[in-house]
Amino acid sequence: MCRIEGEMEERERRRRRWGLGLKGTALGDNRVEKLKSCIVFPRSRVKLWIIRATTMVLLWTCLVQLTTLRELLGPSVFKGCPSCFSQESATSFLVKSVPPKRVYQNNGYLMVSCNGGLNQMRAAICDMVAIARYLNVTLIVPELDKTSFWADPSEFQDIFDVDHFITSLRDEVRILKELPARLKRRVVLGIVYTMPPISWSDISYYQNQVLPLIRKYKVVHLNRTDARLANNGQPFEIQKLRCRVNFSALKFTPQIEELGKKVIRLLRQKGRFMVLHLRYEMDMLAFSGCNQGCNKEEVEELTRMRYAYPWWKEKIINSELKRRDGLCPLTPEETSLTLRALDIDPSIQVYIAAGEIYGGTRRMATLAAAYPNLVRKETLLEPSELRVFQNHSSQMAALDYLVSLDSDIFVPTYDGNMAKVVEGHRRHLGFKKTILLDRKLLVDLIDQYNGGSFTWNEFSAAVKEAHTERMGNPTKRLVIPDRPKEEDYFYSNPWECLEPSNESETASSI
C-alpha cells in the first residue's frame, strides 16, 4: 500500500513539473497524511507489542521463580503472605494456597473400602490417610459402603470435595482418584491381595505386617476400615494428622455446604437453637434390641428386622437389662424429662438430627409438648431442595452434621459414631456446649422419679449434678490398657490437637 502511494506521489511531482493538476496541493497534502499513517502508526504498534511481550516474559519469569523458591523453602516462609504461589496457580493464573508435594519413594498402592454410616467412614478415612502416610504408599480415594443397612449408592465425590481432599494433603501423602492403568487391570481380573486389618492396631502392625504385603503385591486392598487404628499410644504426628484430615481435608461438597448454611441461616433468623441427635430410628432399635415403650406389634416387628440381617450378630436380647446398663438410646419421653430437668429453655428451637422416629407422632408427643419449637430439615427446606438427597442417607447425614457443628447446644441421646465425631469436632471449634448424657444414671433416676421416690426438684437437682462435668469441657481420654473397645474414642476427644499445652501430657489410665 505504501509503495503504491509512493508511486502516485512521484507521478504527482511530474505533473506539477509540467504544470498539470490545479488541485495538486490539496491532493498532495492528503497523500502525505496517508504516507505518514503507513509509516508512523505501524512503528508505534510494533513498540507497543514489544513492550507487552517483554512485560509478559518478566511476569512469567517472576512467577516461576517464586514457585521454585516456595518449593525449596516450604510453605512456612510464605505463611504471612495473603496469597501463595503454586504450580497449579502459575499455570491457571489463580492464586491459591497449595502445600508443596511431599517427595518420597513410593512403596506401593493402598486401596480401602470403608464400612458403616457416614461418620464411621469419616473416621476410617482419617485413619487410612495416616496409615498411608507412614507407610510411604499412595492412597487411592476410598470406596464408600454401599451394602450396609442404608444402601446408599453415594461415591466419595458425592459427599466430600475430592479435589480439596487430594490437594490439601499433598505435602503428607500422595492420593490418586484411581489406580494407574497398568495396575487397574489387576483389580478388574481380581488379582489383588485383599484383607481386613486387625482392629485397634497401632502403627507398628501396619509397618510390620501390611507394608511387606504392599511391597510384595504392589497393591493391597483393606476391605474393612472401621476402628482399625488404635485410639491411644500412637506417635504424636499420627494423632495430629488424623485431626488435620478430619477438621480440614474432609470438606463436604459445595452443594451440601451451601444447603447446610441455608438451614443454619433459617434457624439463626429465629434465635438460638439446639440440635437433638435423637437416635430412635427403627434400625437402631432393632439392632440394639431396645424396645422400651414399644407395643407388642412393634416389638415383634423389631425382632423380625434383627433376624433379617445376618451380620447383626446379637439376636436374643434382654431389653430391660440392656437399658439398665445404659446401653440403650434414650426414648423421646426420657429425653423430654432430661432436658426439662437440665432447665433447657422450652422456647428454644430444637432441631431433630435423625431419621424417621420409630412410633412417629405418638412417641414424639411428650417431647413436642415440652418443646413446641421442634424443627427438621424437612420442615425448613422445600421438598425440591432435598429431592437430590433422597435415598442418599449419607448426604442427608452430612447436612445434619453441619447443623450440629454450628448449634448452640448439641445433645446426643446415644453415643454412636455421629455423636462421637460431632463431639470431638465441637471441642476443636472451642469446646462448644455438648451435653453428654449419662444414660445408665439417667434411667435409674427417671424410674425413681416416675415411681414417686423423687420430687421434681430433687430429680432435677440430681440430673444437673450428674452432668456438671459432662458439657464438652476440656478433659483427657480414658485409656484402658488391653481393653481398647471400652476406652474413650479418639475422635470424640482428640485432646492432642486441641491445646498446645496438652502435647506433653499423658492421658489418664485405670
Side-chain angles (χ1 to χ4, degrees):
M1 179 69 182
C2 296
R3 189 171 58 121
I4 294 172
E5 292 289 343
E7 292 175 355
M8 293 178 66
E9 190 66 30
E10 179 62 26
R11 284 198 295 270
E12 182 62 27
R13 283 196 297 269
R14 290 174 182 173
R15 288 167 61 87
R16 287 180 182 176
R17 186 181 305 168
W18 293 97
L20 300 174
L22 298 176
K23 297 181 180 181
T25 303
L27 182 61
D29 290 343
N30 289 337
R31 286 170 178 166
V32 169
E33 291 300 322
K34 289 180 181 180
L35 187 61
K36 287 181 180 180
S37 68
C38 290
I39 298 174
V40 176
F41 286 110
R43 188 174 298 170
S44 64
R45 288 194 186 99
V46 170
K47 288 182 180 179
L48 181 61
W49 280 108
I50 290 173
I51 292 172
R52 286 178 178 175
T54 304
T55 303
M56 289 297 291
V57 170
L58 289 173
L59 287 174
W60 180 259
T61 303
C62 292
L63 195 61
V64 171
Q65 292 296 325
L66 283 171
T67 301
T68 305
L69 184 64
R70 185 178 185 278
E71 293 286 347
L72 291 173
L73 299 181
S76 59
V77 177
F78 295 87
K79 189 175 180 181
C81 300
S83 61
C84 299
F85 293 95
S86 65
Q87 291 180 355
E88 285 79 2
S89 63
T91 55
S92 64
F93 296 101
L94 297 175
V95 181
K96 58 173 74 173
S97 178
V98 177
K101 289 183 180 180
R102 175 171 170 258
V103 179
Y104 60 95
Q105 183 176 356
N106 182 33
N107 287 320
Y109 296 83
L110 181 65
M111 299 176 63
V112 296
S113 294
C114 301
N115 56 295
L118 173 66
N119 293 285
Q120 184 172 324
M121 293 191 292
R122 184 187 185 103
I125 292 167
C126 299
D127 288 351
M128 293 301 115
V129 169
I131 290 167
R133 189 261 182 251
Y134 283 92
L135 298 186
N136 284 341
V137 299
T138 297
L139 178 68
I140 306 304
V141 169
E143 178 188 24
L144 303 189
D145 192 344
K146 301 176 183 61
T147 61
S148 64
F149 169 81
W150 302 276
D152 187 341
S154 299
E155 302 288 354
F156 186 99
Q157 63 269 18
D158 297 324
I159 301 173
F160 300 108
D161 186 334
V162 66
D163 292 324
H164 173 78
F165 175 69
I166 293 172
T167 304
S168 65
L169 293 168
R170 69 201 296 261
D171 60 328
E172 291 284 1
V173 61
R174 182 179 180 225
I175 304 175
L176 300 179
K177 293 183 180 179
E178 58 183 17
L179 282 170
R182 70 182 188 279
L183 297 173
K184 198 172 182 180
R185 181 170 172 78
R186 293 189 185 186
V187 178
V188 176
L189 297 175
I191 311 174
V192 175
Y193 189 89
T194 300
M195 62 176 288
I198 298 174
S199 299
W200 314 112
S201 299
D202 60 28
I203 196 64
S204 64
Y205 162 79
Y206 290 93
Q207 290 173 332
N208 299 331
Q209 302 295 325
V210 178
L211 182 56
L213 294 172
I214 296 176
R215 284 175 170 157
K216 178 179 179 180
Y217 296 102
K218 303 304 180 186
V219 182
V220 166
H221 174 221
L222 303 183
N223 56 13
R224 290 185 68 86
T225 57
D226 62 318
R228 303 293 148 162
L229 187 60
N231 293 310
N232 302 293
Q234 304 309 301
F236 180 69
E237 293 77 12
I238 285 184
Q239 305 295 56
K240 295 288 284 187
L241 181 55
R242 294 165 94 178
C243 291
R244 177 179 169 185
V245 181
N246 191 23
F247 303 140
S248 178
L250 282 179
K251 289 179 61 178
F252 294 120
T253 62
Q255 184 182 27
I256 293 174
E257 292 273 350
E258 287 303 314
L259 198 56
K261 289 177 183 177
K262 180 175 182 179
V263 173
I264 293 168
R265 185 168 62 251
L266 292 172
L267 289 165
R268 287 287 174 213
Q269 288 173 357
K270 297 184 179 180
R272 289 164 53 82
F273 72 93
M274 174 180 73
V275 167
L276 179 62
H277 185 41
L278 190 60
R279 197 71 172 91
Y280 208 74
E281 303 96 337
M282 183 179 180
D283 66 290
M284 180 68 228
L285 301 182
F287 173 78
S288 65
C290 300
N291 52 37
Q292 177 76 11
C294 297
N295 58 39
K296 182 180 178 181
E297 290 75 16
E298 289 171 337
V299 172
E300 292 175 352
E301 183 180 37
L302 294 173
T303 303
R304 286 195 301 271
M305 183 178 188
R306 184 162 64 252
Y307 277 90
Y309 291 90
W311 54 88
W312 292 356
K313 297 179 181 179
E314 198 175 9
K315 302 299 181 183
I316 302 175
I317 301 174
N318 186 322
S319 178
E320 185 56 36
L321 180 61
K322 201 165 187 178
R323 175 178 175 269
R324 287 201 301 269
D325 288 338
L327 301 176
C328 286
L330 292 184
T331 67
E333 296 87 356
E334 292 168 343
T335 302
S336 176
L337 273 175
T338 302
L339 296 179
R340 288 174 53 209
L342 290 169
D343 286 340
I344 301 296
D345 185 357
S347 66
I348 195 171
Q349 297 174 92
V350 179
Y351 177 93
I352 304 297
E356 184 178 352
I357 302 303
Y358 191 62
T361 304
R362 175 178 67 84
R363 298 306 300 271
M364 291 292 288
T366 303
L367 183 61
Y371 294 91
N373 292 326
L374 293 179
V375 294
R376 305 173 64 102
K377 53 185 171 292
E378 291 84 359
T379 62
L380 293 170
L381 299 171
E382 296 295 328
S384 59
E385 294 176 293
L386 285 173
R387 189 170 296 124
V388 68
F389 299 106
Q390 295 298 326
N391 301 318
H392 294 83
S393 59
S394 292
Q395 295 181 47
M396 295 286 260
L399 290 175
D400 285 342
Y401 188 96
L402 290 171
V403 180
S404 298
L405 290 186
D406 201 71
S407 63
D408 297 290
I409 307 172
F410 177 66
V411 183
T413 61
Y414 186 73
D415 55 353
N417 289 293
M418 176 170 174
K420 291 175 181 177
V421 178
V422 169
E423 175 195 346
H425 207 147
R426 286 173 65 85
R427 288 177 182 272
H428 170 71
L429 293 174
F431 299 98
K432 301 179 74 172
K433 188 172 184 179
T434 302
I435 304 178
L436 306 172
L437 300 177
D438 186 340
R439 296 189 307 279
K440 184 175 182 179
L441 177 63
L442 278 172
V443 296
D444 181 55
L445 293 175
I446 289 171
D447 287 347
Q448 291 189 60
Y449 170 71
N450 288 335
S453 300
F454 284 152
T455 65
W456 174 257
N457 289 337
E458 291 171 335
F459 171 69
S460 178
V463 172
K464 290 174 186 174
E465 182 180 0
H467 293 85
T468 301
E469 300 298 324
R470 299 176 65 91
M471 298 288 179
N473 46 298
T475 185
K476 291 295 185 65
R477 289 193 308 277
L478 179 66
V479 180
I480 310 177
D482 302 322
R483 286 188 288 166
K485 291 184 179 180
E486 299 176 31
E487 64 186 7
D488 289 344
Y489 190 45
F490 173 80
Y491 292 100
S492 66
N493 184 16
W495 59 262
E496 297 93 332
C497 311
L498 304 182
E499 295 182 27
S501 60
N502 286 337
E503 293 181 8
S504 60
E505 300 176 11
T506 57
S508 59
S509 303
I510 63 172

